[in-house]
Amino acid sequence: MSLRNPRPLTMLTLAVWLLVGLAVAFVLSLAFPQELFLAIGAALVAVAGITGAAYWGIGRRWVIWLVFPTAGLAGLGAVMLGEDLALTESGERIEAVVVDHSVEVRDVVRKGRTSKAYTHRYTLERTDGQPIEEPMEYRGEGGFDGVEEGSTIEVFVDPDGRAPTKPTDSVDLEADVAILVVGLVAVAGAFGVCARAVSGHVVTSTRY
């Protein structure tokens, strides 16, 4: 495989390597759902690396706009599916009461601009008053819809603390599979276009 003189097989090889990277991200999210940044990092490395390789081989900016979003969608589906599978396999489905809801707000500086990062933390206990050690967290401004102090909700709780505590209505395996399948189909289409561009001799070394 040579990116200097790419062929359709080169694009197929890149697509296979992308699938390998996404499979690694899926396994990491399944095995370490509490450390989701590992899976997200692996997916980002795979998506960015393969997108960069395809762009380097074809030399057209449209490759980035075509490959990166489709590969990113597939990566999102792989990570979400792995996390939710881990939760449904090891989690106990129970009713819990929200006894405390706190919000941590941090300033985050990106490219010279300051934005706010919100982390909602919900302390839970069982309906019989037994505390649940693992709090429920949400990273985002709004928090979980309709979940406030005093609310009674149904959650997945992992007794071993391996998987994060989450509301049951936020776990949707069918939606995860749908996102992954749509992403993979889009990836196949994107690399099909790239292979056609290579076979059609429209590749140029000029980057613009």
Side-chain angles (χ1 to χ4, degrees), residues 73-74 76-85 166 170-182:
L73 182 63
L76 176 65
V79 172
M80 290 173 58
L81 180 60
E83 181 191 21
D84 285 353
L85 274 175
K166 291 180 66 175
S170 70
V171 178
D172 191 338
L173 294 178
E174 291 183 359
D176 297 340
V177 171
I179 292 172
L180 179 59
V181 170
V182 170

Side-chain angles (χ1 to χ4, degrees), residues 65-114:
W65 298 110
L66 184 64
V67 174
F68 190 82
T70 56
L73 182 63
L76 176 65
V79 172
M80 290 173 58
L81 180 60
E83 181 191 21
D84 285 353
L85 274 175
L87 195 55
T88 55
E89 287 179 0
S90 60
E92 178 186 356
R93 195 180 190 122
I94 64 171
E95 277 197 343
V97 178
V98 181
V99 296
D100 185 60
H101 174 206
S102 61
V103 184
E104 177 187 347
V105 183
R106 295 182 294 108
D107 289 329
V108 178
V109 180
R110 295 190 182 117
K111 297 181 179 180
R113 297 183 178 181
T114 303

Side-chain angles (χ1 to χ4, degrees), residues 60 74 77 121 149 171 179 188:
R60 295 296 183 90
R121 185 169 287 105
E149 189 173 336
V171 178
I179 292 172

Side-chain angles (χ1 to χ4, degrees), residues 6-116:
R7 298 181 180 181
L9 183 60
T10 306
M11 296 298 110
L12 175 61
T13 304
L14 289 178
V16 171
W17 277 111
L18 174 63
L19 294 180
V20 171
L22 298 185
V24 170
F26 169 77
V27 171
L28 287 174
S29 65
L30 181 63
F32 308 103
Q34 281 282 38
E35 307 294 339
L36 204 58
F37 67 91
L38 292 174
I40 294 173
L44 283 175
V45 168
V47 171
I50 296 302
T51 300
Y55 168 66
W56 179 257
I58 295 179
R60 295 296 183 90
R61 187 163 292 177
W62 58 259
V63 174
I64 298 175
W65 298 110
L66 184 64
V67 174
F68 190 82
T70 56
L73 182 63
L76 176 65
V79 172
M80 290 173 58
L81 180 60
E83 181 191 21
D84 285 353
L85 274 175
L87 195 55
T88 55
E89 287 179 0
S90 60
E92 178 186 356
R93 195 180 190 122
I94 64 171
E95 277 197 343
V97 178
V98 181
V99 296
D100 185 60
H101 174 206
S102 61
V103 184
E104 177 187 347
V105 183
R106 295 182 294 108
D107 289 329
V108 178
V109 180
R110 295 190 182 117
K111 297 181 179 180
R113 297 183 178 181
T114 303
S115 60
K116 301 290 186 182

Side-chain angles (χ1 to χ4, degrees), residues 3 50 66 138 146 150-151 164 199:
L3 292 177
I50 296 302
L66 184 64
Y138 180 96
S151 300
S199 63

